[in-house]
Amino acid sequence: MNLDHVFVCEHPALDFAATLRARRSTRFEMFVTPERLDAWYLESGLVDTITPAEEDDVRAAITVREAVYQLVTDRRLGEDFDRDALDVVNAAALRTPVTPQLTMAGRLVEATAPQALATVARQAVELLSGPEVPLLKECGNPECTRVYIDRSRGMRRQWCGMESCGNKIKAAAYRARKKAAPAVH
Protein backbone atom coordinates (compact mmCIF):
# COMPACT_ATOMS: atom_id res chain seq x y z
CA MET A 1 0.00 0.00 0.00
CA ASN A 2 1.17 3.51 -0.80
CA LEU A 3 2.37 5.34 2.31
CA ASP A 4 1.88 8.81 0.83
CA HIS A 5 -0.72 10.94 2.54
CA VAL A 6 -3.52 11.81 0.13
CA PHE A 7 -5.53 15.02 0.21
CA VAL A 8 -8.51 14.57 -2.12
CA CYS A 9 -11.51 14.97 0.18
CA GLU A 10 -11.90 18.76 -0.19
CA HIS A 11 -11.68 19.32 3.57
CA PRO A 12 -8.87 18.74 6.12
CA ALA A 13 -11.10 16.93 8.63
CA LEU A 14 -12.24 14.51 5.91
CA ASP A 15 -8.66 13.93 4.75
CA PHE A 16 -7.75 13.28 8.39
CA ALA A 17 -10.60 10.75 8.73
CA ALA A 18 -9.33 9.05 5.57
CA THR A 19 -5.97 8.16 7.13
CA LEU A 20 -7.36 4.74 7.94
CA ARG A 21 -7.79 3.37 4.45
CA ALA A 22 -10.01 0.56 3.15
CA ARG A 23 -12.05 0.34 6.34
CA ARG A 24 -14.31 -2.41 4.91
CA SER A 25 -11.54 -4.71 3.70
CA THR A 26 -7.77 -4.64 4.23
CA ARG A 27 -7.68 -1.77 6.71
CA PHE A 28 -4.48 0.21 6.31
CA GLU A 29 -3.33 2.54 9.07
CA MET A 30 -1.41 5.64 7.99
CA PHE A 31 -0.58 6.80 11.53
CA VAL A 32 1.76 3.94 12.41
CA THR A 33 4.41 6.14 14.05
CA PRO A 34 4.62 9.60 15.58
CA GLU A 35 6.67 10.63 12.54
CA ARG A 36 3.82 9.65 10.18
CA LEU A 37 1.40 11.75 12.25
CA ASP A 38 3.82 14.71 12.13
CA ALA A 39 4.12 14.23 8.38
CA TRP A 40 0.34 14.43 7.94
CA TYR A 41 0.12 17.67 9.91
CA LEU A 42 2.93 19.18 7.82
CA GLU A 43 1.79 17.85 4.42
CA SER A 44 -1.79 18.95 5.05
CA GLY A 45 -0.59 22.53 5.39
CA LEU A 46 -2.10 22.76 8.86
CA VAL A 47 1.30 23.64 10.33
CA ASP A 48 4.67 24.82 9.05
CA THR A 49 6.67 23.24 11.85
CA ILE A 50 5.65 20.79 14.55
CA THR A 51 7.17 19.68 17.82
CA PRO A 52 7.78 15.94 17.33
CA ALA A 53 4.79 13.84 18.37
CA GLU A 54 4.91 11.02 20.91
CA GLU A 55 3.10 7.66 20.97
CA ASP A 56 0.36 9.19 23.16
CA ASP A 57 -0.24 11.80 20.44
CA VAL A 58 -0.72 9.02 17.87
CA ARG A 59 -3.25 7.26 20.11
CA ALA A 60 -5.11 10.54 20.68
CA ALA A 61 -5.12 11.31 16.95
CA ILE A 62 -6.50 7.87 16.10
CA THR A 63 -9.22 8.23 18.74
CA VAL A 64 -10.27 11.63 17.39
CA ARG A 65 -9.99 10.44 13.79
CA GLU A 66 -12.34 7.52 14.46
CA ALA A 67 -14.80 9.81 16.22
CA VAL A 68 -14.69 12.26 13.28
CA TYR A 69 -15.30 9.41 10.84
CA GLN A 70 -18.26 8.18 12.92
CA LEU A 71 -19.79 11.65 13.05
CA VAL A 72 -19.25 12.23 9.33
CA THR A 73 -20.90 8.88 8.59
CA ASP A 74 -23.79 9.67 10.93
CA ARG A 75 -24.34 13.05 9.29
CA ARG A 76 -23.98 11.67 5.75
CA LEU A 77 -26.57 8.98 6.47
CA GLY A 78 -28.94 11.45 8.17
CA GLU A 79 -28.65 9.72 11.54
CA ASP A 80 -28.28 11.21 15.01
CA PHE A 81 -24.70 11.72 16.11
CA ASP A 82 -23.10 8.97 18.15
CA ARG A 83 -22.85 10.50 21.63
CA ASP A 84 -19.44 9.01 22.47
CA ALA A 85 -17.95 10.25 19.20
CA LEU A 86 -19.49 13.66 19.82
CA ASP A 87 -17.87 13.80 23.27
CA VAL A 88 -14.45 12.85 21.85
CA VAL A 89 -14.50 15.48 19.10
CA ASN A 90 -15.89 18.21 21.36
CA ALA A 91 -13.28 17.48 24.05
CA ALA A 92 -10.49 17.70 21.46
CA ALA A 93 -11.96 20.92 20.01
CA LEU A 94 -11.88 22.53 23.47
CA ARG A 95 -8.07 22.31 23.59
CA THR A 96 -5.77 25.11 22.41
CA PRO A 97 -5.57 25.12 18.59
CA VAL A 98 -2.68 26.15 16.36
CA THR A 99 -2.08 29.88 16.30
CA PRO A 100 -0.57 31.53 13.24
CA GLN A 101 2.09 34.15 13.85
CA LEU A 102 3.17 37.00 11.62
CA THR A 103 6.92 37.13 11.00
CA MET A 104 9.14 39.31 8.79
CA ALA A 105 8.96 36.50 6.21
CA GLY A 106 5.15 36.15 6.41
CA ARG A 107 2.83 33.76 8.19
CA LEU A 108 4.29 30.99 10.36
CA VAL A 109 2.36 28.23 12.14
CA GLU A 110 4.38 26.38 14.77
CA ALA A 111 2.50 23.83 16.84
CA THR A 112 2.52 20.78 19.03
CA ALA A 113 0.65 17.63 18.05
CA PRO A 114 -2.13 18.36 20.60
CA GLN A 115 -2.60 21.84 19.11
CA ALA A 116 -2.77 20.41 15.60
CA LEU A 117 -5.28 17.79 16.72
CA ALA A 118 -7.44 20.45 18.39
CA THR A 119 -7.45 22.36 15.12
CA VAL A 120 -8.56 19.30 13.14
CA ALA A 121 -11.33 18.68 15.69
CA ARG A 122 -12.49 22.30 15.34
CA GLN A 123 -12.48 21.92 11.56
CA ALA A 124 -14.68 18.82 11.93
CA VAL A 125 -17.10 20.77 14.15
CA GLU A 126 -17.31 23.54 11.55
CA LEU A 127 -17.83 21.08 8.71
CA LEU A 128 -20.48 19.00 10.48
CA SER A 129 -22.44 22.05 11.57
CA GLY A 130 -22.10 23.95 8.33
CA PRO A 131 -23.72 24.33 4.93
CA GLU A 132 -21.63 21.68 3.15
CA VAL A 133 -23.17 18.70 4.98
CA PRO A 134 -25.51 17.92 2.02
CA LEU A 135 -22.41 17.72 -0.22
CA LEU A 136 -20.82 14.84 1.72
CA LYS A 137 -20.44 11.69 -0.38
CA GLU A 138 -18.56 8.42 -0.03
CA CYS A 139 -16.24 7.33 -2.83
CA GLY A 140 -17.84 5.06 -5.42
CA ASN A 141 -14.92 2.62 -5.25
CA PRO A 142 -16.20 -0.27 -3.07
CA GLU A 143 -12.69 -0.70 -1.60
CA CYS A 144 -12.43 2.98 -0.63
CA THR A 145 -14.12 4.50 2.38
CA ARG A 146 -13.09 8.13 1.91
CA VAL A 147 -15.82 10.72 2.30
CA TYR A 148 -15.42 13.90 0.28
CA ILE A 149 -17.26 17.13 -0.43
CA ASP A 150 -18.83 17.00 -3.88
CA ARG A 151 -18.67 20.52 -5.24
CA SER A 152 -18.96 19.36 -8.84
CA ARG A 153 -21.62 20.75 -11.16
CA GLY A 154 -24.78 18.80 -10.53
CA MET A 155 -23.08 16.84 -7.72
CA ARG A 156 -22.03 14.19 -10.22
CA ARG A 157 -18.61 13.37 -8.78
CA GLN A 158 -18.29 9.64 -8.05
CA TRP A 159 -14.75 9.20 -6.75
CA CYS A 160 -12.69 10.66 -3.95
CA GLY A 161 -10.07 11.34 -6.60
CA MET A 162 -9.43 10.28 -10.18
CA GLU A 163 -5.79 9.39 -9.48
CA SER A 164 -6.53 7.37 -6.36
CA CYS A 165 -9.79 5.62 -7.29
CA GLY A 166 -11.50 6.86 -10.44
CA ASN A 167 -8.88 5.69 -12.91
CA LYS A 168 -8.70 2.24 -11.29
CA ILE A 169 -12.46 1.72 -11.48
CA LYS A 170 -12.76 3.09 -15.01
CA ALA A 171 -9.88 0.91 -16.24
CA ALA A 172 -11.39 -2.19 -14.62
CA ALA A 173 -14.79 -1.45 -16.20
CA TYR A 174 -13.14 -0.98 -19.60
CA ARG A 175 -11.31 -4.31 -19.29
CA ALA A 176 -14.55 -6.03 -18.26
CA ARG A 177 -16.40 -4.57 -21.26
CA LYS A 178 -13.62 -5.63 -23.63
CA LYS A 179 -13.60 -9.15 -22.19
CA ALA A 180 -17.41 -9.44 -22.43
CA ALA A 181 -17.65 -8.02 -25.97
CA PRO A 182 -18.16 -10.63 -28.71
CA ALA A 183 -15.12 -11.15 -30.88
CA VAL A 184 -15.48 -9.62 -34.34
CA HIS A 185 -14.08 -11.78 -37.18
Side-chain angles (χ1 to χ4, degrees):
M1 176 69 83
N2 184 345
L3 277 177
D4 292 338
H5 292 294
V6 178
F7 302 92
V8 295
C9 298
E10 305 287 334
H11 193 279
L14 296 176
D15 286 320
F16 189 76
T19 58
L20 177 60
R21 296 188 183 169
R23 290 171 179 269
R24 287 188 287 270
S25 58
T26 56
R27 298 164 71 95
F28 186 80
E29 177 62 65
M30 297 297 290
F31 294 156
V32 291
T33 64
E35 293 78 19
R36 295 296 299 148
L37 177 62
D38 291 343
W40 190 91
Y41 289 137
L42 290 164
E43 292 169 25
S44 71
L46 190 67
V47 300
D48 299 313
T49 62
I50 190 153
T51 304
E54 304 285 333
E55 288 296 332
D56 286 347
D57 298 318
V58 174
R59 284 189 288 280
I62 289 171
T63 299
V64 170
R65 180 201 57 207
E66 292 308 299
V68 168
Y69 184 80
Q70 179 64 54
L71 297 175
V72 166
T73 300
D74 292 344
R75 185 54 77 218
R76 190 176 58 76
L77 298 176
E79 297 175 359
D80 289 340
F81 284 135
D82 178 276
R83 291 191 185 281
D84 292 337
L86 205 56
D87 290 345
V88 167
V89 170
N90 284 332
L94 281 171
R95 295 185 172 271
T96 304
V98 301
T99 305
Q101 299 291 305
L102 186 61
T103 68
M104 293 299 207
R107 181 177 182 257
L108 176 65
V109 180
E110 296 176 309
T112 63
Q115 289 173 311
L117 185 59
T119 301
V120 170
R122 286 172 180 226
Q123 291 170 334
V125 168
E126 292 300 319
L127 171 67
L128 293 169
S129 63
E132 293 185 308
V133 167
L135 307 179
L136 294 174
K137 285 174 89 175
E138 188 176 63
C139 183
N141 177 351
E143 293 295 312
C144 184
T145 54
R146 287 187 190 113
V147 175
Y148 60 91
I149 297 175
D150 184 359
R151 294 187 181 106
S152 67
R153 177 181 277 161
M155 287 191 59
R156 296 172 50 99
R157 183 173 160 188
Q158 297 178 34
W159 324 110
C160 62
M162 280 307 292
E163 302 79 31
S164 52
C165 287
N167 288 338
K168 290 177 198 168
I169 298 297
K170 287 183 172 197
Y174 175 78
R175 287 190 301 275
R177 283 192 309 273
K178 288 296 249 185
K179 187 176 181 180
V184 178
H185 297 310

